[in-house]
Amino acid sequence: MRVCVVGQGGREHAFAETLRRTADVVVTPGNPGIEGSVVTPPSEIDADLFVIGPEGPLADGLADRLRADGRLVFGPGADGAALEGSKAWMKEVVSAAGVPTAGYQTFDGDPASCRQAHAYLETLSPPYVIKTSGLAAGKGVLVTDELAEAHADVDVKLDGTAFGDAGRRIVIEEGLTGPEVSLFAVCDGKRAVLLPTAVRDHKRLGDGGLGPNTGGMGCVSPLADVDRAVCSDLGALAFEPTLAELNRRGVDYRGVLYAGFMLTPRGPRLLEFNVRFGDPEAQVTLPRIRGDLAELLAAAAAGEAADCIDVSDDVMVCVVCAAEGYPSDPRTGDLITGIEAARALPGVTVFCAGVERAADASLPSDSLVTAGGRVLNVCGRGPDVATARKRAYEAVGSVSWPGMIYRTDIAAAASPRVSRT
Ligand code: AMP
Ligand code: GLY
């Protein structure tokens, strides 16, 4: 089988490496760190299966256009992608599906709605949660204990200052507390097949969860505190009812659904759906899937997903190595060294994200320089968290460029055990 992966980050590198076990893989546009990258647009590529990585092209209808052209595609159409592209619609769908989620109200930019938003905030207790409804590259959510900050955020979002049109519609939610956990399901339009392994991302830039929010600075899977039984309880709570509700609304959802939960003292609550694998969550999940990933995704794309998906219990820890200045203004053009030395270490995989070929002709032709915020995803794999973590950080010690930053506490925190209810 020939598979075309669409996207250019570490997630797509993980897709390409895992698919390559059983298939020919081409990646568009990819990056120079991913074997098989081509500049040809997807519509001009001849492949048996298209796997679309990021939310942007999905929300844009790339899957619809490829399907209209007779291609087999793993990834939802624009209608299903609105689960991520419109938080207001997502909340409506999951509420109709009976999925436990935070209480909420939706507001838009007209003056009456804006007044109601401020009035609704006054009825809530901290933490206050204000989300842009539209796509905002993971930066549209404010969680704060300060009511004045929450009021100010409502204003800058609704008047378009903060996120332009994506921010003019907001969702204000009841603030929840508890550990977070992410789960994935492969959907074939009718059924959602759970990946029985939980992932935890570290979203803040700095150690101890300090600093600005990022796309994700590292993650670990599986989680000692969320075993397979808890995974299937959470999956049954969210995926199947949502897929049934999507069906009722005429949405044929074929692709991955990513559910972010908060495990609150009052039980699990769904915080978000994404319509793609997480990045870097994919990097610690895809390589652990047992069996033929290409067949598995092709079957789901054709409406006939396998009954179950098996995932290894090995632990993977991913440490994101980022450029100085990330997330606001990453520095680019710095020469990256040590990738091959890191890859030579046992249990280590290095995925390339924000990289490009060095322009300097005096350097070896395969030299890479930084070209984005999150540059490399350095992963360690082992039988337990301690081993996987040690391997990941040893490998991080091998790679470098001027100004490289990373968190030193990925997978370090002991988490409370969550028991099956
Ligand atoms: P989202 O993109 O909707 O997942 O929100 C991003 C992050 O904001 C989540 O990972 C949580 O850390 C936090 N968050 C979202 N919704 C809530 C909520 N209702 N209560 C508390 N924190 C939240
Ligand atoms: N790492 C978070 C995400 O992919 O949305």
Side-chain angles (χ1 to χ4, degrees), residues 321-326 329-338 363 368-373 375-376 398-406:
C321 296
E324 187 179 308
Y326 178 71
D329 186 20
R331 196 170 93 187
T332 58
D334 289 304
L335 182 66
I336 304 166
T337 56
L363 294 169
L368 297 176
V369 296
T370 59
V375 177
L376 298 180
S398 294
V399 296
S400 78
W401 64 85
M404 174 176 115
I405 54 174
Y406 60 92

Side-chain angles (χ1 to χ4, degrees), residues 383-409:
D384 50 52
V385 182
T387 311
R389 189 168 185 273
K390 185 163 169 283
R391 288 177 167 170
Y393 277 107
E394 265 170 23
V396 168
S398 294
V399 296
S400 78
W401 64 85
M404 174 176 115
I405 54 174
Y406 60 92
R407 277 181 66 157
T408 66
D409 63 349

Side-chain angles (χ1 to χ4, degrees), residues 87 102 127 129 131 141 143 173-177 180 203 213 262 271-272:
K87 284 189 191 284
V129 181
K131 303 182 174 185
V141 179
V143 182
E173 287 186 14
E174 164 200 17
L176 306 173
T177 52
E180 288 182 53
K203 287 217 173 91
N213 244 322
M262 192 170 265
L271 292 185
E272 64 169 336

Side-chain angles (χ1 to χ4, degrees), residues 11 55 84 138 201 203 214-217 258 272 274 276-281 374:
R11 165 184 49 212
E55 65 277 18
E84 180 167 354
D201 190 10
K203 287 217 173 91
T214 71
M217 290 302 289
Y258 161 147
E272 64 169 336
N274 294 318
R276 50 171 176 87
F277 264 103
D279 184 345
E281 289 89 332
R374 295 188 293 173

Side-chain angles (χ1 to χ4, degrees), residues 1-385:
M1 192 189 310
R2 184 171 156 86
V3 185
C4 173
V5 176
V6 180
Q8 58 191 335
R11 165 184 49 212
E12 287 72 31
H13 196 174
F15 259 125
E17 290 288 304
T18 312
L19 288 163
R20 198 168 281 119
R21 293 178 192 158
T22 55
D24 287 336
V25 180
V26 52
V27 187
T28 174
N31 70 53
I34 309 177
E35 190 188 328
S37 293
V38 295
V39 291
T40 320
S43 59
E44 291 171 26
I45 289 176
D46 184 21
D48 304 300
L49 172 69
F50 289 78
V51 176
I52 303 174
E55 65 277 18
L58 291 166
D60 239 29
L62 177 61
D64 299 308
R65 292 192 293 280
L66 290 169
R67 283 192 183 106
D69 201 25
R71 318 298 191 90
L72 188 63
V73 185
F74 183 77
D79 55 357
L83 272 185
E84 180 167 354
S86 166
K87 284 189 191 284
W89 188 67
M90 174 275 196
K91 292 293 278 189
E92 185 196 314
V93 170
V94 301
S95 303
V99 180
T101 184
Y104 76 104
Q105 285 190 22
T106 301
F107 304 95
D108 54 38
D110 71 70
S113 183
C114 188
R115 276 196 301 279
Q116 284 159 6
H118 288 292
Y120 181 57
L121 263 184
E122 293 289 340
T123 69
L124 301 173
S125 31
Y128 305 100
V129 181
I130 296 128
K131 303 182 174 185
T132 61
S133 179
L135 288 177
K139 295 176 190 139
V141 179
L142 176 77
V143 182
T144 178
D145 286 336
E146 304 302 326
L147 185 57
E149 193 187 355
H151 280 299
D153 192 60
V154 166
D155 286 332
V156 294
K157 279 179 174 153
L158 285 183
D159 72 13
T161 316
F163 295 100
D165 284 344
R168 283 183 203 274
R169 168 164 283 201
I170 59 170
V171 174
I172 300 182
E173 287 186 14
E174 164 200 17
L176 306 173
T177 52
E180 288 182 53
V181 49
S182 300
L183 287 175
F184 301 98
V186 167
C187 305
D188 70 358
K190 302 177 290 298
R191 288 179 312 131
V193 186
L194 178 74
L195 266 59
T197 190
V199 190
R200 185 163 290 135
D201 190 10
H202 295 60
K203 287 217 173 91
R204 299 279 181 161
L205 182 70
D207 283 358
L210 300 175
N213 244 322
T214 71
M217 290 302 289
C219 57
V220 54
S221 180
L223 304 177
D225 57 313
V226 185
D227 64 18
R228 280 176 187 253
V230 176
C231 286
S232 43
D233 289 350
L234 292 171
L237 211 56
F239 292 123
E240 285 153 32
T242 300
L243 218 51
E245 180 61 27
L246 288 174
N247 269 314
R248 271 194 287 280
R249 293 169 184 243
V251 178
D252 183 4
Y253 192 102
R254 301 182 189 203
V256 79
L257 255 185
Y258 161 147
F261 295 92
M262 192 170 265
L263 307 175
T264 80
R266 291 164 54 211
R269 298 284 184 274
L270 181 81
L271 292 185
E272 64 169 336
F273 269 133
N274 294 318
V275 297
R276 50 171 176 87
F277 264 103
D279 184 345
E281 289 89 332
Q283 289 85 315
V284 297
T285 308
L286 293 171
R288 295 168 39 240
I289 292 180
R290 290 207 178 101
D292 185 331
L293 183 64
E295 285 295 342
L296 206 144
L297 301 184
E304 308 268 329
D307 290 335
C308 63
I309 300 173
D310 192 16
V311 180
S312 157
D313 280 328
D314 277 3
V315 179
M316 279 186 78
V317 169
C318 174
V319 180
V320 171
C321 296
E324 187 179 308
Y326 178 71
S328 52
D329 186 20
R331 196 170 93 187
T332 58
D334 289 304
L335 182 66
I336 304 166
T337 56
I339 296 179
E340 289 315 316
R343 284 186 176 144
L345 297 169
V348 169
T349 316
V350 180
F351 297 115
C352 294
V355 303
E356 71 185 15
R357 198 76 73 212
D360 184 344
S362 66
L363 294 169
S365 63
D366 58 353
S367 303
L368 297 176
V369 296
T370 59
R374 295 188 293 173
V375 177
L376 298 180
N377 310 140
V378 180
C379 303
R381 178 170 177 159
D384 50 52
V385 182

